Amino acid sequence: MHDIKIIRDDPAAFDKGLATRGIAPQSARLLEIDERRRAVITSLQDMQQKRNDASKLIGQAKAKKDEALATKLMDEVTALKGALQQGEEDERRLTAELDTELAAIPNIPFDDTPVGKDEHGNVERYRHGAPRAMNFAPKEHFDLGEGVGQMDFEAAAKMSGSRFVVLKGQLARMERAIASFMLDLHTCTHGYEEVSPPLLVKDAAMFGTAQLPKFADDQFAVYKGASTDEQDKFWLIPTAEVSLTNLVRESILSEEELPKRFTAYTPCFRAEAGSAGRDTRGLIRMHQFPKVELVSITTPEAAIDEHERMLACAEEVLKKLDLHYRVMTLCTGDMGFSARKTYDIEVWLPGQDAFREISSCSVCGDFQARRMQARYKPAGSKNTRFVHTLNGSALAVGRTMVAILETYQQADGSIAVPDVLKPYMGGLDTISNG
């Protein structure tokens, strides 16, 4: 959420920032609404003062037994009351109009975020490792999973339709093993606090992290029983970022409490609106998928360093799994709505002969905090400031499994278990059919 005061102070800078996202200037329209709203507020203040002054004069007139003057003044107060009610209604309407407009505008990118229209404008920072040498033609993960008889899309489709999967046996255990390994790494080594959050949230939580109102079509809404009442509506979380970031909503933290670092392993739910025809086979683009999420709540001064730290925590998962990957800085046209800067980690998939995204780590500034009213009090200060929020996948569990299956596949169609996962797999060395 943007601060209209900042836009008012430097509208040209606001429009310049939006231009890097390919968005037309917005400041003139926003300031026109703001000017009307402020004019109403000024008028209300004047009328309230007139009412207060008239009320005092009524008392004085009655004390002097000047009933004519008292009656005249009371008529003025009655008229002011009606005008005040109308003015208060106009203020509420204009405030709601301004808030609605501001809520639909994405965050302003940092100056060092690459400017571009789409994914072709993303910039590679560096690569880690190299593709594993194979003396056979590598298969894609869905062929491998179905080959060992433990990945069943057909059974899932009978229950739920497309973009769902049933994992069985060793692959089901591997999914759990991957998540446990990630959680242990982030909690024991990287200092994140593990959280088991709600999977169903209300509108305010989704608004806080900016999934609403703009991206409602990408979400799954559910209702209690057969109700269609909005009071009975929930949203299935598209990422644990929603639940974790909202842990600090409507709160004032002390500076000593920061940074707060949370992690959670949850299923995530996305409607994948607009993705028809993309990744229709396999685990890459599912309606339901598991993910380990990282969220940091920090001060403005520490946010940039926290972003680099979060990226390093996500990378460490891939390093320990000995997977080849690269880190990309997303351009303005490919970046998420709430982000000011985003790093994507793309893992190498031998079966696809391509890098695919496995993590996004974003710094959001105070954009989400304003929507959630999440503040902190700096040490020695009586005033409060908005916290800065960050979020990152560390990692998408399904996509990590994809990378493991394709990277650790063997010529006979079996899959070697990475060393770091063996303790979580009961010492199992190989996943195979039978």
Side-chain angles (χ1 to χ4, degrees), residues 182-204:
M182 291 177 183
L183 286 174
D184 286 349
L185 180 64
H186 296 316
T187 56
C188 299
T189 302
H190 298 149
Y192 286 85
E193 179 181 4
E194 184 174 354
V195 177
S196 179
L199 305 182
L200 293 168
V201 297
K202 304 296 282 184
D203 285 9

Side-chain angles (χ1 to χ4, degrees), residues 53-73:
D53 292 343
S55 297
K56 291 179 182 178
L57 292 173
I58 289 169
Q60 294 172 6
K62 287 185 175 182
K64 295 178 180 179
K65 301 187 182 301
D66 189 342
E67 294 300 326
L69 178 58
T71 300
K72 179 184 177 182
L73 290 170

Side-chain angles (χ1 to χ4, degrees), residues 319-340:
K319 289 177 180 178
K320 289 187 175 296
L321 288 167
D322 196 19
L323 294 172
H324 177 43
Y325 67 88
R326 67 181 182 181
V327 174
M328 308 290 289
T329 304
L330 296 195
C331 73
T332 53
D334 196 35
M335 200 165 57
F337 186 85
S338 297
R340 301 201 69 183

Side-chain angles (χ1 to χ4, degrees), residues 80-252:
L80 284 170
K81 181 179 179 181
L84 279 166
Q85 290 175 339
Q86 181 61 53
E88 289 167 353
E89 183 180 329
D90 290 342
E91 182 193 0
R92 287 192 293 270
R93 175 178 55 79
L94 288 167
T95 298
E97 182 181 353
L98 182 60
D99 287 346
T100 297
E101 295 292 335
L102 288 171
I105 299 173
N107 207 348
I108 301 296
F110 283 144
D111 290 340
D112 65 346
T113 298
V115 177
K117 293 182 178 181
D118 51 33
E119 67 272 13
H120 300 294
N122 297 340
V123 177
E124 184 175 324
R125 290 186 81 191
Y126 50 80
R127 298 188 181 197
H128 174 82
R132 190 177 295 262
M134 296 181 181
N135 58 3
F136 57 91
K139 297 178 180 178
E140 293 198 52
H141 69 280
F142 42 80
D143 289 327
L144 292 161
E146 291 173 337
V148 297
Q150 299 174 36
M151 186 180 291
D152 194 335
F153 295 97
E154 184 177 346
K158 290 176 182 178
M159 290 184 279
S160 306
S162 62
R163 298 190 187 276
F164 290 91
V165 69
V166 173
L167 299 179
K168 305 173 184 177
Q170 297 161 343
L171 287 188
R173 182 167 187 174
M174 175 175 274
E175 180 181 75
R176 176 162 50 93
I178 292 169
S180 295
F181 156 64
M182 291 177 183
L183 286 174
D184 286 349
L185 180 64
H186 296 316
T187 56
C188 299
T189 302
H190 298 149
Y192 286 85
E193 179 181 4
E194 184 174 354
V195 177
S196 179
L199 305 182
L200 293 168
V201 297
K202 304 296 282 184
D203 285 9
M206 294 284 276
F207 178 84
T209 45
Q211 277 76 23
L212 293 181
K214 190 173 180 64
F215 303 104
D217 288 345
D218 294 324
Q219 317 304 329
F220 282 105
V222 297
Y223 291 82
K224 294 179 182 177
S227 173
T228 57
D229 190 324
E230 287 295 302
Q231 295 296 319
D232 293 329
K233 185 176 74 174
F234 294 85
W235 298 91
L236 287 167
I237 60 169
T239 164
E241 170 200 346
V242 177
S243 303
L244 295 180
T245 310
N246 274 278
L247 287 173
V248 298
R249 72 174 293 108
E250 298 173 358
S251 62
I252 299 177

Side-chain angles (χ1 to χ4, degrees), residues 245 296-298 362-366 368-369 372 387-391:
T245 310
S296 293
I297 313 295
T298 188
S362 298
V363 55
C364 301
D366 63 4
Q368 294 176 326
M372 296 186 301
V387 298
H388 281 209
T389 63
L390 303 94
N391 62 81

